[in-house]
Amino acid sequence: MTHQESLYGKTPDQLAALCGELGMPRFAARQIARWLYVRHTEDPLRMTDIAAAHRQRLAEWFSPALSAPERVTESADGTKKYLFRTLEGHYVESAYIPDGERATLCVSSQAGCRMGCRFCATGRQGLQQSLTAAEILNQAVSLPERDKLTNLVFMGMGEPLDNTDEVLRALEIITAEWGFGWSPTRITLSTAGVVPELRRFLDATKVHLAVSLHNPFHEERMEIMPVERAWPIAEVAAILREYDFTHQRRVSFEYIVMSGLNDSPRHIRELTRLLNGIKCRINLIRFHRIPDSPYFSPGDEAMVRFRDALTARGIQTTIRASRGEDIQAACGLLSTRLKGGI
Ligand code: SF4
């Protein structure tokens, strides 16, 4: 235990162990969790139902973990992009996306990413740091719109299943009744398909899953997503066939449409074959062109044609509206710029 350690991001079991080490009653863990996650206070001196001497000890031992965003950029459509700095000094981004009654926050799980997807600005940075549960949660609780949030998506910087321990801890805190008390159906985790961690995630939580698909052919997907070499999308699909997505939990496939690259009739046929037996939806996303990229955005008509062809084959398909393009809300662009990466 060091003075750098924080209380925030710990579960009641972890807090109970710490209470034991500090000579405090273990039941204080529940009280601390309540202050942290229900009352959003991480200053031990304000935890007034804990004995004064114990409060003092906690204040001496633990440092604060929460910090306000360093920068915010607002788009004409109301999307806001927040830039947070981690304790190690790296930048991570979150996008706040209001949409009628809904307000979704897109959070990052890592600073940078080592998956190397060719169409992604974050992939160019490489991995700098996996975030702690506290740093993941900080993005949701330290923004002015905290109390307006209705949905959370793990689709920002990083591959959540390359940081599974901390992501699962954050999810536990968000969904537990002693924590934020959110229904898991308000949360979606997006993965490029880290096969060894996928079952663990599916067994540990009930949150929705989104899989970055982008091309159904092994050789072609490998060209844009190196992760395909180690963990082919066919293996991901095989695992998903073992789980039930016919009730509350949903699985969707994200498909960034890149003109002339992954939008042909051949791709439609292969997508139908690959997803056979999985109750799912495909979300088509128009490619956001990033500087120096060889890939191009398709036109409106091409997007609609592609959607209709998939729908005709029995796959529920929607075109996701692009939000925040004027502030580079595509994952990783803003922090890459700040680091001089583009
Ligand atoms: Fe990583 Fe996601 Fe970007 Fe791929 S798309 S490099 S998994 S952040």
Side-chain angles (χ1 to χ4, degrees), residues 211 213 215-216 237 241 251-255 264-284 303-319:
V211 177
L213 173 50
N215 202 309
R241 268 186 209 99
V251 60
S252 56
F253 290 87
E254 308 293 307
Y255 200 92
S264 74
R266 200 168 59 83
H267 291 95
I268 291 165
R269 282 194 298 277
E270 188 62 11
L271 277 171
T272 313
R273 202 190 60 76
L274 178 73
L275 302 182
N276 185 31
I278 305 172
K279 179 157 187 322
C280 64
R281 184 174 63 189
I282 295 183
N283 289 318
L284 301 179
M303 291 290 286
V304 169
R305 259 201 316 276
F306 197 60
R307 179 199 63 193
D308 291 349
L310 286 165
T311 308
R313 284 179 168 255
I315 304 177
Q316 191 190 347
T317 308
T318 52
I319 297 174

Tab-separated table of all heavy atoms in Angstrom, residues 211 213 215-216 237 241 251-255 264-284 303-319:
chain	number	residue	atom	x	y	z
A	211	VAL	N	-19.242	-5.993	-31.486
A	211	VAL	CA	-17.994	-6.538	-32.039
A	211	VAL	C	-17.626	-5.720	-33.272
A	211	VAL	O	-18.465	-5.508	-34.158
A	211	VAL	CB	-18.159	-8.028	-32.422
A	211	VAL	CG1	-16.885	-8.561	-33.062
A	211	VAL	CG2	-18.534	-8.854	-31.196
A	213	LEU	N	-16.446	-5.548	-36.612
A	213	LEU	CA	-16.327	-6.588	-37.649
A	213	LEU	C	-15.590	-6.040	-38.876
A	213	LEU	O	-14.487	-6.492	-39.190
A	213	LEU	CB	-17.742	-7.082	-37.984
A	213	LEU	CG	-17.960	-8.047	-39.129
A	213	LEU	CD1	-17.031	-9.235	-39.053
A	213	LEU	CD2	-19.396	-8.535	-39.126
A	215	ASN	N	-15.048	-6.448	-41.858
A	215	ASN	CA	-14.855	-7.253	-43.068
A	215	ASN	C	-15.016	-8.727	-42.687
A	215	ASN	O	-14.387	-9.176	-41.729
A	215	ASN	CB	-13.457	-7.022	-43.671
A	215	ASN	CG	-13.432	-7.398	-45.145
A	215	ASN	OD1	-13.854	-8.488	-45.511
A	215	ASN	ND2	-12.970	-6.478	-45.985
A	216	PRO	N	-15.836	-9.489	-43.406
A	216	PRO	CA	-16.074	-10.876	-43.003
A	216	PRO	C	-15.008	-11.851	-43.521
A	216	PRO	O	-14.992	-13.005	-43.107
A	216	PRO	CB	-17.430	-11.191	-43.656
A	216	PRO	CG	-17.484	-10.305	-44.863
A	216	PRO	CD	-16.700	-9.063	-44.527
A	237	ALA	N	-17.345	-15.512	-33.764
A	237	ALA	CA	-18.733	-15.888	-34.087
A	237	ALA	C	-19.078	-17.243	-33.462
A	237	ALA	O	-20.187	-17.434	-32.943
A	237	ALA	CB	-18.922	-15.915	-35.599
A	241	ARG	N	-22.181	-17.955	-30.777
A	241	ARG	CA	-23.278	-18.899	-31.022
A	241	ARG	C	-23.621	-19.700	-29.762
A	241	ARG	O	-24.702	-20.248	-29.648
A	241	ARG	CB	-22.903	-19.875	-32.148
A	241	ARG	CG	-23.350	-19.372	-33.478
A	241	ARG	CD	-23.140	-20.341	-34.628
A	241	ARG	NE	-22.951	-19.511	-35.808
A	241	ARG	CZ	-21.780	-19.211	-36.341
A	241	ARG	NH1	-20.684	-19.731	-35.870
A	241	ARG	NH2	-21.709	-18.395	-37.368
A	251	VAL	N	-26.246	-8.496	-28.905
A	251	VAL	CA	-24.938	-8.396	-29.550
A	251	VAL	C	-25.148	-7.696	-30.885
A	251	VAL	O	-26.119	-7.963	-31.603
A	251	VAL	CB	-24.254	-9.771	-29.737
A	251	VAL	CG1	-25.063	-10.721	-30.599
A	251	VAL	CG2	-22.854	-9.596	-30.350
A	252	SER	N	-24.243	-6.767	-31.171
A	252	SER	CA	-24.299	-6.094	-32.470
A	252	SER	C	-22.908	-6.134	-33.086
A	252	SER	O	-21.914	-6.380	-32.395
A	252	SER	CB	-24.771	-4.642	-32.301
A	252	SER	OG	-23.930	-3.972	-31.406
A	253	PHE	N	-22.879	-5.937	-34.381
A	253	PHE	CA	-21.602	-5.905	-35.092
A	253	PHE	C	-21.435	-4.531	-35.720
A	253	PHE	O	-22.324	-4.050	-36.423
A	253	PHE	CB	-21.561	-7.012	-36.164
A	253	PHE	CG	-21.481	-8.383	-35.555
A	253	PHE	CD1	-22.633	-9.068	-35.199
A	253	PHE	CD2	-20.248	-8.970	-35.300
A	253	PHE	CE1	-22.566	-10.325	-34.605
A	253	PHE	CE2	-20.171	-10.225	-34.700
A	253	PHE	CZ	-21.332	-10.900	-34.358
A	254	GLU	N	-20.304	-3.920	-35.428
A	254	GLU	CA	-20.009	-2.603	-35.988
A	254	GLU	C	-19.325	-2.810	-37.332
A	254	GLU	O	-18.408	-3.646	-37.457
A	254	GLU	CB	-19.068	-1.825	-35.056
A	254	GLU	CG	-19.546	-1.750	-33.608
A	254	GLU	CD	-20.796	-0.928	-33.447
A	254	GLU	OE1	-20.800	0.217	-33.901
A	254	GLU	OE2	-21.787	-1.456	-32.898
A	255	TYR	N	-19.772	-2.074	-38.315
A	255	TYR	CA	-19.213	-2.263	-39.658
A	255	TYR	C	-18.955	-0.886	-40.261
A	255	TYR	O	-19.887	-0.195	-40.692
A	255	TYR	CB	-20.208	-3.059	-40.508
A	255	TYR	CG	-19.603	-3.738	-41.716
A	255	TYR	CD1	-19.143	-5.045	-41.650
A	255	TYR	CD2	-19.505	-3.076	-42.947
A	255	TYR	CE1	-18.600	-5.686	-42.750
A	255	TYR	CE2	-18.964	-3.712	-44.054
A	255	TYR	CZ	-18.525	-5.021	-43.948
A	255	TYR	OH	-17.988	-5.656	-45.050
A	264	SER	N	-19.154	-4.738	-51.141
A	264	SER	CA	-19.601	-5.386	-52.382
A	264	SER	C	-20.634	-6.492	-52.091
A	264	SER	O	-20.779	-6.924	-50.939
A	264	SER	CB	-18.401	-6.009	-53.090
A	264	SER	OG	-18.016	-7.176	-52.378
A	265	PRO	N	-21.314	-7.007	-53.114
A	265	PRO	CA	-22.239	-8.141	-52.927
A	265	PRO	C	-21.533	-9.357	-52.325
A	265	PRO	O	-22.124	-10.111	-51.549
A	265	PRO	CB	-22.718	-8.422	-54.358
A	265	PRO	CG	-22.576	-7.117	-55.077
A	265	PRO	CD	-21.377	-6.457	-54.478
A	266	ARG	N	-20.274	-9.546	-52.664
A	266	ARG	CA	-19.480	-10.647	-52.101
A	266	ARG	C	-19.422	-10.520	-50.564
A	266	ARG	O	-19.548	-11.503	-49.835
A	266	ARG	CB	-18.066	-10.482	-52.684
A	266	ARG	CG	-17.164	-11.663	-52.674
A	266	ARG	CD	-15.950	-11.350	-53.557
A	266	ARG	NE	-15.206	-10.177	-53.111
A	266	ARG	CZ	-14.286	-10.172	-52.158
A	266	ARG	NH1	-13.982	-11.285	-51.548
A	266	ARG	NH2	-13.650	-9.057	-51.832
A	267	HIS	N	-19.230	-9.305	-50.088
A	267	HIS	CA	-19.174	-9.072	-48.634
A	267	HIS	C	-20.526	-9.345	-47.990
A	267	HIS	O	-20.596	-9.862	-46.880
A	267	HIS	CB	-18.705	-7.644	-48.337
A	267	HIS	CG	-17.270	-7.410	-48.696
A	267	HIS	ND1	-16.886	-6.876	-49.904
A	267	HIS	CD2	-16.126	-7.696	-48.031
A	267	HIS	CE1	-15.567	-6.819	-49.957
A	267	HIS	NE2	-15.077	-7.306	-48.832
A	268	ILE	N	-21.577	-8.995	-48.709
A	268	ILE	CA	-22.922	-9.232	-48.157
A	268	ILE	C	-23.158	-10.732	-47.984
A	268	ILE	O	-23.633	-11.190	-46.944
A	268	ILE	CB	-23.981	-8.585	-49.077
A	268	ILE	CG1	-23.856	-7.060	-48.976
A	268	ILE	CG2	-25.388	-9.039	-48.703
A	268	ILE	CD1	-24.565	-6.303	-50.057
A	269	ARG	N	-22.806	-11.503	-49.016
A	269	ARG	CA	-23.007	-12.968	-48.938
A	269	ARG	C	-22.203	-13.560	-47.776
A	269	ARG	O	-22.696	-14.375	-47.002
A	269	ARG	CB	-22.569	-13.635	-50.254
A	269	ARG	CG	-23.583	-13.487	-51.380
A	269	ARG	CD	-23.265	-14.427	-52.533
A	269	ARG	NE	-21.972	-14.158	-53.154
A	269	ARG	CZ	-21.750	-13.221	-54.081
A	269	ARG	NH1	-22.740	-12.469	-54.496
A	269	ARG	NH2	-20.551	-13.052	-54.588
A	270	GLU	N	-20.963	-13.115	-47.626
A	270	GLU	CA	-20.108	-13.690	-46.583
A	270	GLU	C	-20.563	-13.267	-45.175
A	270	GLU	O	-20.486	-14.048	-44.227
A	270	GLU	CB	-18.644	-13.279	-46.827
A	270	GLU	CG	-17.625	-13.949	-45.931
A	270	GLU	CD	-17.559	-15.474	-46.078
A	270	GLU	OE1	-18.150	-16.026	-47.033
A	270	GLU	OE2	-16.921	-16.109	-45.210
A	271	LEU	N	-21.050	-12.042	-45.076
A	271	LEU	CA	-21.579	-11.591	-43.773
A	271	LEU	C	-22.764	-12.459	-43.357
A	271	LEU	O	-22.880	-12.867	-42.197
A	271	LEU	CB	-22.041	-10.124	-43.878
A	271	LEU	CG	-20.964	-9.061	-43.722
A	271	LEU	CD1	-21.513	-7.686	-44.068
A	271	LEU	CD2	-20.420	-9.052	-42.292
A	272	THR	N	-23.623	-12.757	-44.317
A	272	THR	CA	-24.805	-13.578	-44.033
A	272	THR	C	-24.370	-14.956	-43.542
A	272	THR	O	-24.931	-15.512	-42.593
A	272	THR	CB	-25.660	-13.720	-45.314
A	272	THR	OG1	-25.805	-12.431	-45.903
A	272	THR	CG2	-27.022	-14.285	-45.003
A	273	ARG	N	-23.348	-15.511	-44.202
A	273	ARG	CA	-22.866	-16.844	-43.821
A	273	ARG	C	-22.229	-16.807	-42.416
A	273	ARG	O	-22.521	-17.627	-41.556
A	273	ARG	CB	-21.828	-17.303	-44.858
A	273	ARG	CG	-21.613	-18.795	-44.930
A	273	ARG	CD	-20.407	-19.128	-45.797
A	273	ARG	NE	-19.184	-18.529	-45.290
A	273	ARG	CZ	-18.498	-18.988	-44.240
A	273	ARG	NH1	-18.920	-20.049	-43.605
A	273	ARG	NH2	-17.400	-18.376	-43.837
A	274	LEU	N	-21.393	-15.779	-42.191
A	274	LEU	CA	-20.663	-15.674	-40.917
A	274	LEU	C	-21.601	-15.526	-39.716
A	274	LEU	O	-21.371	-16.107	-38.658
A	274	LEU	CB	-19.720	-14.455	-40.982
A	274	LEU	CG	-18.914	-14.149	-39.725
A	274	LEU	CD1	-17.788	-15.165	-39.544
A	274	LEU	CD2	-18.332	-12.732	-39.771
A	275	LEU	N	-22.658	-14.740	-39.896
A	275	LEU	CA	-23.525	-14.413	-38.752
A	275	LEU	C	-24.716	-15.354	-38.621
A	275	LEU	O	-25.542	-15.177	-37.716
A	275	LEU	CB	-24.010	-12.957	-38.860
A	275	LEU	CG	-22.871	-11.920	-38.928
A	275	LEU	CD1	-23.436	-10.518	-38.989
A	275	LEU	CD2	-21.929	-12.062	-37.731
A	276	ASN	N	-24.762	-16.358	-39.474
A	276	ASN	CA	-25.861	-17.326	-39.421
A	276	ASN	C	-25.947	-17.958	-38.019
A	276	ASN	O	-24.942	-18.391	-37.463
A	276	ASN	CB	-25.605	-18.413	-40.483
A	276	ASN	CG	-26.766	-19.387	-40.565
A	276	ASN	OD1	-27.907	-19.000	-40.315
A	276	ASN	ND2	-26.477	-20.633	-40.864
A	277	GLY	N	-27.139	-17.952	-37.431
A	277	GLY	CA	-27.314	-18.580	-36.114
A	277	GLY	C	-27.065	-17.645	-34.937
A	277	GLY	O	-27.162	-18.071	-33.785
A	278	ILE	N	-26.714	-16.384	-35.207
A	278	ILE	CA	-26.518	-15.428	-34.098
A	278	ILE	C	-27.600	-14.359	-34.215
A	278	ILE	O	-27.695	-13.681	-35.247
A	278	ILE	CB	-25.137	-14.738	-34.176
A	278	ILE	CG1	-24.015	-15.766	-34.223
A	278	ILE	CG2	-24.948	-13.779	-32.999
A	278	ILE	CD1	-22.644	-15.172	-34.485
A	279	LYS	N	-28.418	-14.203	-33.183
A	279	LYS	CA	-29.415	-13.127	-33.227
A	279	LYS	C	-28.686	-11.811	-32.960
A	279	LYS	O	-28.152	-11.594	-31.861
A	279	LYS	CB	-30.503	-13.359	-32.178
A	279	LYS	CG	-31.530	-12.245	-32.189
A	279	LYS	CD	-32.836	-12.665	-31.617
A	279	LYS	CE	-33.921	-11.618	-31.779
A	279	LYS	NZ	-33.524	-10.241	-31.622
A	280	CYS	N	-28.613	-10.996	-33.978
A	280	CYS	CA	-27.761	-9.803	-33.847
A	280	CYS	C	-28.258	-8.688	-34.757
A	280	CYS	O	-29.220	-8.852	-35.497
A	280	CYS	CB	-26.330	-10.156	-34.236
A	280	CYS	SG	-26.161	-10.651	-35.965
A	281	ARG	N	-27.566	-7.590	-34.656
A	281	ARG	CA	-27.847	-6.455	-35.525
A	281	ARG	C	-26.504	-5.963	-36.065
A	281	ARG	O	-25.482	-6.070	-35.382
A	281	ARG	CB	-28.495	-5.358	-34.679
A	281	ARG	CG	-28.942	-4.155	-35.463
A	281	ARG	CD	-29.685	-3.206	-34.567
A	281	ARG	NE	-28.808	-2.709	-33.504
A	281	ARG	CZ	-29.233	-1.991	-32.464
A	281	ARG	NH1	-30.499	-1.740	-32.317
A	281	ARG	NH2	-28.391	-1.561	-31.574
A	282	ILE	N	-26.524	-5.435	-37.272
A	282	ILE	CA	-25.309	-4.798	-37.803
A	282	ILE	C	-25.527	-3.291	-37.787
A	282	ILE	O	-26.567	-2.801	-38.245
A	282	ILE	CB	-24.993	-5.263	-39.243
A	282	ILE	CG1	-24.648	-6.755	-39.255
A	282	ILE	CG2	-23.835	-4.462	-39.825
A	282	ILE	CD1	-24.241	-7.287	-40.617
A	283	ASN	N	-24.569	-2.569	-37.230
A	283	ASN	CA	-24.591	-1.109	-37.287
A	283	ASN	C	-23.593	-0.658	-38.335
A	283	ASN	O	-22.388	-0.892	-38.190
A	283	ASN	CB	-24.175	-0.505	-35.940
A	283	ASN	CG	-25.239	-0.711	-34.891
A	283	ASN	OD1	-26.432	-0.556	-35.164
A	283	ASN	ND2	-24.819	-1.081	-33.696
A	284	LEU	N	-24.099	-0.042	-39.385
A	284	LEU	CA	-23.197	0.483	-40.416
A	284	LEU	C	-22.760	1.889	-40.015
A	284	LEU	O	-23.580	2.710	-39.597
A	284	LEU	CB	-23.912	0.546	-41.765
A	284	LEU	CG	-24.465	-0.774	-42.312
A	284	LEU	CD1	-25.156	-0.531	-43.652
A	284	LEU	CD2	-23.337	-1.797	-42.474
A	303	MET	N	-24.517	3.689	-48.868
A	303	MET	CA	-24.827	3.224	-47.501
A	303	MET	C	-26.221	2.592	-47.465
A	303	MET	O	-26.417	1.512	-46.894
A	303	MET	CB	-24.791	4.403	-46.511
A	303	MET	CG	-23.433	5.004	-46.244
A	303	MET	SD	-22.329	3.940	-45.294
A	303	MET	CE	-23.013	4.042	-43.647
A	304	VAL	N	-27.178	3.252	-48.071
A	304	VAL	CA	-28.563	2.755	-48.054
A	304	VAL	C	-28.648	1.432	-48.824
A	304	VAL	O	-29.304	0.481	-48.376
A	304	VAL	CB	-29.522	3.826	-48.636
A	304	VAL	CG1	-30.908	3.242	-48.873
A	304	VAL	CG2	-29.605	5.020	-47.689
A	305	ARG	N	-27.979	1.360	-49.989
A	305	ARG	CA	-27.995	0.111	-50.785
A	305	ARG	C	-27.447	-1.054	-49.966
A	305	ARG	O	-28.009	-2.144	-49.935
A	305	ARG	CB	-27.133	0.281	-52.042
A	305	ARG	CG	-27.935	0.548	-53.308
A	305	ARG	CD	-27.138	0.217	-54.559
A	305	ARG	NE	-25.762	0.666	-54.558
A	305	ARG	CZ	-25.359	1.880	-54.904
A	305	ARG	NH1	-26.233	2.775	-55.298
A	305	ARG	NH2	-24.080	2.204	-54.870
A	306	PHE	N	-26.353	-0.807	-49.289
A	306	PHE	CA	-25.696	-1.855	-48.490
A	306	PHE	C	-26.630	-2.302	-47.352
A	306	PHE	O	-26.817	-3.488	-47.103
A	306	PHE	CB	-24.372	-1.321	-47.947
A	306	PHE	CG	-23.423	-2.382	-47.475
A	306	PHE	CD1	-22.960	-3.366	-48.333
A	306	PHE	CD2	-22.971	-2.402	-46.162
A	306	PHE	CE1	-22.076	-4.352	-47.902
A	306	PHE	CE2	-22.098	-3.384	-45.717
A	306	PHE	CZ	-21.644	-4.358	-46.586
A	307	ARG	N	-27.215	-1.333	-46.683
A	307	ARG	CA	-28.149	-1.658	-45.588
A	307	ARG	C	-29.319	-2.484	-46.095
A	307	ARG	O	-29.670	-3.516	-45.514
A	307	ARG	CB	-28.690	-0.365	-44.954
A	307	ARG	CG	-29.682	-0.647	-43.838
A	307	ARG	CD	-30.544	0.546	-43.517
A	307	ARG	NE	-31.375	0.918	-44.651
A	307	ARG	CZ	-32.037	2.064	-44.751
A	307	ARG	NH1	-31.943	2.961	-43.792
A	307	ARG	NH2	-32.769	2.335	-45.816
A	308	ASP	N	-29.919	-2.041	-47.214
A	308	ASP	CA	-31.103	-2.738	-47.731
A	308	ASP	C	-30.768	-4.160	-48.165
A	308	ASP	O	-31.573	-5.082	-47.978
A	308	ASP	CB	-31.714	-1.951	-48.897
A	308	ASP	CG	-32.346	-0.645	-48.410
A	308	ASP	OD1	-32.484	-0.487	-47.178
A	308	ASP	OD2	-32.676	0.208	-49.249
A	309	ALA	N	-29.577	-4.354	-48.723
A	309	ALA	CA	-29.190	-5.694	-49.178
A	309	ALA	C	-29.045	-6.641	-47.984
A	309	ALA	O	-29.458	-7.802	-48.031
A	309	ALA	CB	-27.892	-5.618	-49.965
A	310	LEU	N	-28.477	-6.135	-46.879
A	310	LEU	CA	-28.330	-6.974	-45.678
A	310	LEU	C	-29.696	-7.258	-45.052
A	310	LEU	O	-29.986	-8.379	-44.627
A	310	LEU	CB	-27.405	-6.289	-44.659
A	310	LEU	CG	-25.917	-6.318	-45.016
A	310	LEU	CD1	-25.132	-5.324	-44.155
A	310	LEU	CD2	-25.338	-7.721	-44.836
A	311	THR	N	-30.531	-6.232	-45.003
A	311	THR	CA	-31.868	-6.408	-44.428
A	311	THR	C	-32.648	-7.445	-45.227
A	311	THR	O	-33.330	-8.299	-44.642
A	311	THR	CB	-32.628	-5.057	-44.424
A	311	THR	OG1	-31.799	-4.080	-43.793
A	311	THR	CG2	-33.941	-5.161	-43.676
A	312	ALA	N	-32.509	-7.403	-46.549
A	312	ALA	CA	-33.228	-8.362	-47.406
A	312	ALA	C	-32.777	-9.795	-47.122
A	312	ALA	O	-33.512	-10.745	-47.362
A	312	ALA	CB	-32.995	-8.016	-48.872
A	313	ARG	N	-31.578	-9.951	-46.604
A	313	ARG	CA	-31.091	-11.293	-46.269
A	313	ARG	C	-31.398	-11.656	-44.816
A	313	ARG	O	-30.843	-12.608	-44.263
A	313	ARG	CB	-29.590	-11.375	-46.523
A	313	ARG	CG	-29.287	-11.493	-48.015
A	313	ARG	CD	-27.805	-11.558	-48.264
A	313	ARG	NE	-27.547	-11.956	-49.641
A	313	ARG	CZ	-27.138	-13.162	-50.005
A	313	ARG	NH1	-26.930	-14.095	-49.102
A	313	ARG	NH2	-26.919	-13.431	-51.263
A	314	GLY	N	-32.215	-10.857	-44.178
A	314	GLY	CA	-32.703	-11.208	-42.843
A	314	GLY	C	-31.837	-10.708	-41.698
A	314	GLY	O	-32.045	-11.096	-40.545
A	315	ILE	N	-30.861	-9.844	-41.996
A	315	ILE	CA	-30.031	-9.304	-40.901
A	315	ILE	C	-30.505	-7.889	-40.591
A	315	ILE	O	-30.479	-7.010	-41.468
A	315	ILE	CB	-28.536	-9.264	-41.282
A	315	ILE	CG1	-28.057	-10.655	-41.695
A	315	ILE	CG2	-27.706	-8.732	-40.112
A	315	ILE	CD1	-26.609	-10.686	-42.162
A	316	GLN	N	-30.922	-7.698	-39.349
A	316	GLN	CA	-31.381	-6.358	-38.963
A	316	GLN	C	-30.190	-5.395	-39.054
A	316	GLN	O	-29.150	-5.603	-38.402
A	316	GLN	CB	-31.899	-6.410	-37.523
A	316	GLN	CG	-32.638	-5.158	-37.121
A	316	GLN	CD	-32.923	-5.125	-35.631
A	316	GLN	OE1	-32.784	-6.122	-34.935
A	316	GLN	NE2	-33.314	-3.965	-35.138
A	317	THR	N	-30.337	-4.382	-39.888
A	317	THR	CA	-29.185	-3.497	-40.153
A	317	THR	C	-29.616	-2.043	-40.051
A	317	THR	O	-30.659	-1.664	-40.578
A	317	THR	CB	-28.632	-3.767	-41.574
A	317	THR	OG1	-28.389	-5.167	-41.703
A	317	THR	CG2	-27.332	-3.012	-41.809
A	318	THR	N	-28.814	-1.246	-39.362
A	318	THR	CA	-29.125	0.182	-39.252
A	318	THR	C	-27.900	1.000	-39.654
A	318	THR	O	-26.764	0.516	-39.556
A	318	THR	CB	-29.498	0.575	-37.806
A	318	THR	OG1	-28.459	0.095	-36.948
A	318	THR	CG2	-30.798	-0.025	-37.359
A	319	ILE	N	-28.156	2.212	-40.081
A	319	ILE	CA	-27.055	3.136	-40.388
A	319	ILE	C	-26.919	4.055	-39.194
A	319	ILE	O	-27.873	4.734	-38.813
A	319	ILE	CB	-27.346	3.954	-41.662
A	319	ILE	CG1	-27.462	3.009	-42.864
A	319	ILE	CG2	-26.257	4.993	-41.889
A	319	ILE	CD1	-27.888	3.695	-44.147
